[in-house]
């Protein structure tokens, strides 16, 4: 397995403000600056990761891909909306609550918020968590009222998803999230040759976790359903035994929906 790339922080002050004391500061004696790595930096556009070749990546809820999709009038008819089933869950009379246990860049969580859910994003990697926190803060201060509204529906917690879900297993039915969403790392052997640079970076930065344990924990906690995002042709997560979930498909993606 390839080691994850080194991440340097722009300045000591930024490192301290983000609580990332374990990361080296660029240009200092404790940093191996010969290593091809990423720089975590802040500018007028917000917090981002930048590579030596100029590639910049960061979550973006106001101007990015996820924001554009959330604004589409056809969002409610798209495959992810059908898979999540937020409109149907809302007929229970309760505000739909969703846990995105593998937040990544927050794209799917933001779309779920646009569909009407209150979403908790879980992200265990400290750098990804810092990037998401900054993006969510910028969205909450946006000049766009709709962006501020959606930001008010999204919260974020840095934690291991399996542990978080397991601690909720003993709560009452009404205290549990109605929906748990999982988007584990795509298997390397079926990763698309032209996958986006941000996704490639996420795969390298964040080692794969306990995906089998994640599904088991999600099924034990969700009060209504678990939705697992998979690449087309991938096996069911955890080689699920028992009832085969309903599948919602798109050209390159499949959403497996488990009703609990």
């Amino acid at each position: 397995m390839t080691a994850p790339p080194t991440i340097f922080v722009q300045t000591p002050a930024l490192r301290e403000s983000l609580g990332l004391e374990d990361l080296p500061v660029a240009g200092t004696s404790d940093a191996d600056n010969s290593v091809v790595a990423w720089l975590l930096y802040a500018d007028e556009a917000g917090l981002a990761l930048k590579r030596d070749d100029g590639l910049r990546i960061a979550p973006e809820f106001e101007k990015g891909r996820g924001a554009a999709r959330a604004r589409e009038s056809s969002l409610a008819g798209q495959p992810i909306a059908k898979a999540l089933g937020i409109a149907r869950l809302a007929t229970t009379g309760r505000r739909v609550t969703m846990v995105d246990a593998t937040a990544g860049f927050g794209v799917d969580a933001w779309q779920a918020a646009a569909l009407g859910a209150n979403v908790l994003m879980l992200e265990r990697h400290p750098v990804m968590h810092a990037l998401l926190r900054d993006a969510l803060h910028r969205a909450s201060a946006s000049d766009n009222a709709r962006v501020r509204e959606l930001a008010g529906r999204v919260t974020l917690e840095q934690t291991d998803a399996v542990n978080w879900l397991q601690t909720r297993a003993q709560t009452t039915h009404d205290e549990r999230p109605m929906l748990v969403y999982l988007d584990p790392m795509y298997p390397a052997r079926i990763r698309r040759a032209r996958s986006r640079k941000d996704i490639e970076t996420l795969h390298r930065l964040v080692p794969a976790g306990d995906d089998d344990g994640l599904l088991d924990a999600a099924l034990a906690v969700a009060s209504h359903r678990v939705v697992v995002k998979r690449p087309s042709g991938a096996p069911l997560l955890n080689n699920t035994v028992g009832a085969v979930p309903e599948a919602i498909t798109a050209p390159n993606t499949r959403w497996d929906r488990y009703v609990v």
Side-chain angles (χ1 to χ4, degrees), residues 64-88:
R65 183 174 61 93
R69 287 188 177 179
R71 291 193 300 268
E72 293 176 359
S73 60
S74 61
L75 176 61
Q78 292 181 11
I80 187 172
K82 295 177 181 178
L84 295 175
I86 290 170
R88 180 174 295 181

Side-chain angles (χ1 to χ4, degrees), residues 113-127:
L115 290 164
N118 285 352
V119 184
L120 170 62
M121 298 189 295
L122 305 181
E123 177 52 56
R124 60 188 170 90
H125 194 279
V127 172

Side-chain angles (χ1 to χ4, degrees), residues 72-155:
E72 293 176 359
S73 60
S74 61
L75 176 61
Q78 292 181 11
I80 187 172
K82 295 177 181 178
L84 295 175
I86 290 170
R88 180 174 295 181
L89 291 174
T91 63
T92 63
R94 295 170 52 199
R95 168 67 72 177
V96 178
T97 54
M98 171 177 142
V99 171
D100 184 345
T102 51
F105 284 89
V107 173
D108 293 341
W110 194 254
Q111 291 180 72
L115 290 164
N118 285 352
V119 184
L120 170 62
M121 298 189 295
L122 305 181
E123 177 52 56
R124 60 188 170 90
H125 194 279
V127 172
M128 287 305 306
H129 176 265
L131 290 167
L132 282 169
R133 182 176 58 188
D134 179 74
L136 196 56
H137 175 74
R138 286 184 280 114
S140 67
S142 171
D143 293 333
N144 186 308
R146 174 61 171 168
V147 172
R148 294 197 306 273
E149 177 190 357
L150 297 190
R153 297 181 191 166
V154 181
T155 54

Side-chain angles (χ1 to χ4, degrees), residues 7-50:
I7 300 174
F8 299 116
V9 185
Q10 183 181 26
T11 65
L14 180 62
R15 179 174 69 173
E16 182 177 356
S17 69
L18 297 175
L20 299 174
E21 287 80 5
D22 292 339
L23 296 185
V25 175
T28 59
S29 59
D30 63 335
D32 180 0
N33 294 289
S34 66
V35 178
V36 176
W38 290 85
L39 176 68
L40 181 65
Y41 74 105
D43 60 14
E44 64 279 358
L47 194 66
L49 282 170
K50 181 171 64 176

Side-chain angles (χ1 to χ4, degrees), residues 182-246:
L182 309 178
D183 182 9
M185 294 294 183
Y186 279 15
R189 62 183 178 279
I190 58 176
R191 195 175 302 163
R192 287 179 293 171
R194 294 187 178 183
S195 59
R196 298 193 330 272
K197 294 297 184 182
D198 55 352
I199 299 301
E200 290 180 0
T201 301
L202 181 61
H203 276 253
R204 294 196 63 201
L205 288 178
V206 184
D210 179 12
D211 292 342
D212 292 351
L214 188 59
L215 178 57
D216 291 340
L219 290 170
V221 169
S223 67
H224 287 70
R225 66 185 55 157
V226 174
V227 176
V228 182
K229 185 178 183 180
R230 302 292 282 161
S232 297
L236 294 174
L237 192 62
N238 200 14
N239 293 312
T240 308
V241 178
V244 176
E246 178 185 4

